[in-house]
Amino acid sequence: MSVKSMSSDERRLKYVVPALEKGLDIIEYLADQAVPLTQSQLARALDRQPGELFRMLACLEGRGFIYRDATSGGYALTLKLFQLARIHSPYETLVSTARPFMRALADEVRESCHLTVLRNDEVLVLAQEESPNPFRLSVEVGSTHDALRTNSGRLLLAALSDDALDSLLGRQPAWSAMSAAARKKKTEQIAAVRRDGYAASISERFLGSADLGVLVGSPRAPLNAALTIATLIEADGDARHERLLEPLRRTALAITEATGLSLRQASDPLAAA
């Protein structure tokens, strides 16, 4: 098997670098916990001996990736990773990486697909690949849409933590204007997306259309996106969700791995999408 034909996990296992793995484990765990942790606490959490982490912590601190809290003695991330990430737009990297996968998906299923993110509490369309069919659905790149009233929006809302979701909904005038029954229905729809790992709707925006979306990234992560197929319903009313879900999930996973958005954690259904 050639290196190019290996999956990212296969390459990682074949060419494992223990010291680098140890350092990345520390960074990822500190990012996930978001509070200072001592050397002993990190060792227990990562199932390692405290002495194993001493040199790695000293190296990361010396390079400016972590700092040691003078009061608690715990280690926490600095802003260096944030500064490095800001050199390139995360959206630019996401779109350029996702495009070839999206083009292949559109050609395979012969349906249009688009990529969206949450920005300023709205759904922003970052990219689209159109179906090769003469009759197809299309959405304008750069357009924004109501997160509460779109299939992609529900998917992205479902990926938020409970606190982040409550905060976003509290800022939505449409949410405040809803009746208790309408709020309950929306909450149930978001819960269903979390349970099922995908979002689906039929004739929501207009009659004769269907949307099917899965998450690109990981639930509760700072950045993720929704990959959605927009299709016309055939005469018999079949939205063809079963046929489309597997290639959609496969493509979303490929984009997630290629962009490095996978957190390698959580058994959440959305993470498996």
Side-chain angles (χ1 to χ4, degrees):
M1 178 184 294
S2 68
V3 173
K4 288 186 177 180
S5 65
M6 291 181 181
S7 69
S8 59
D9 283 341
E10 288 173 332
R11 287 195 298 272
R12 176 172 167 266
L13 291 174
K14 183 175 177 64
Y15 303 108
V16 63
V17 182
L20 180 58
E21 291 277 345
K22 194 184 304 181
L24 293 175
D25 284 344
I26 292 172
I27 289 174
E28 290 181 353
Y29 191 75
L30 287 176
D32 183 59
Q33 297 301 304
V35 294
L37 296 172
T38 65
Q39 181 176 326
S40 297
Q41 289 172 323
L42 284 167
R44 286 195 297 272
L46 300 176
D47 195 24
R48 295 180 181 275
Q49 295 299 318
E52 289 184 71
L53 303 186
F54 176 76
R55 289 188 177 183
M56 186 58 63
L57 289 169
C59 177
L60 290 173
E61 185 178 13
R63 294 292 296 268
F65 286 95
I66 64 175
Y67 72 94
R68 190 175 185 184
D69 182 77
T71 303
S72 67
Y75 292 91
L77 294 180
T78 67
L79 293 177
K80 185 168 184 176
L81 286 173
F82 175 75
Q83 291 173 329
L84 292 175
R86 293 282 290 181
I87 294 174
H88 301 286
S89 165
Y91 292 161
E92 181 181 338
T93 301
L94 176 60
V95 171
S96 62
T97 303
R99 270 201 192 283
F101 295 105
M102 293 173 64
R103 180 69 263 164
L105 175 64
D107 289 340
E108 177 184 353
V109 301
R110 301 189 69 81
E111 301 289 355
S112 300
C113 62
H114 55 270
L115 190 71
T116 57
V117 294
L118 276 178
R119 192 188 70 171
N120 298 330
D121 296 348
E122 292 184 305
V123 174
L124 170 67
V125 181
L126 289 181
Q128 176 181 238
E129 289 295 336
E130 294 191 350
S131 163
N133 291 333
F135 297 98
R136 56 184 178 265
L137 293 178
S138 181
V139 61
E140 183 179 0
V141 174
S143 61
T144 56
H145 305 267
D146 191 331
L148 285 170
R149 292 184 169 87
T150 57
N151 195 67
S152 297
R154 281 191 296 277
L155 182 63
L156 292 166
L157 293 177
L160 297 175
S161 66
D162 290 337
D163 288 344
L165 176 60
D166 290 342
S167 178
L168 186 149
L169 293 177
R171 297 190 297 269
Q172 294 283 332
W175 178 258
S176 301
M178 285 182 187
S179 65
R183 289 188 186 185
K184 183 174 184 293
K185 182 178 180 181
K186 290 294 183 184
T187 301
E188 290 173 347
Q189 288 176 331
I190 294 171
V193 174
R194 285 181 172 175
R195 181 192 67 231
D196 299 335
Y198 65 90
S201 62
I202 298 177
S203 297
E204 182 173 30
R205 303 297 293 274
F206 57 89
L207 292 176
S209 68
D211 289 332
L212 181 66
V214 299
L215 191 70
V216 173
S218 303
R220 324 299 180 256
L223 174 64
N224 48 49
L227 180 64
T228 302
I229 289 176
T231 179
L232 293 168
I233 300 176
E234 295 185 340
D236 60 3
D238 179 15
R240 294 167 290 173
H241 282 179
E242 290 185 6
R243 175 178 72 82
L244 298 173
L245 186 56
E246 190 280 327
L248 184 62
R249 279 179 161 163
R250 177 175 10 101
T251 303
L253 179 59
I255 297 172
T256 297
E257 292 183 342
T259 53
L261 289 177
S262 175
L263 295 183
R264 292 192 293 134
Q265 65 177 30
S267 57
D268 194 308
L270 281 172

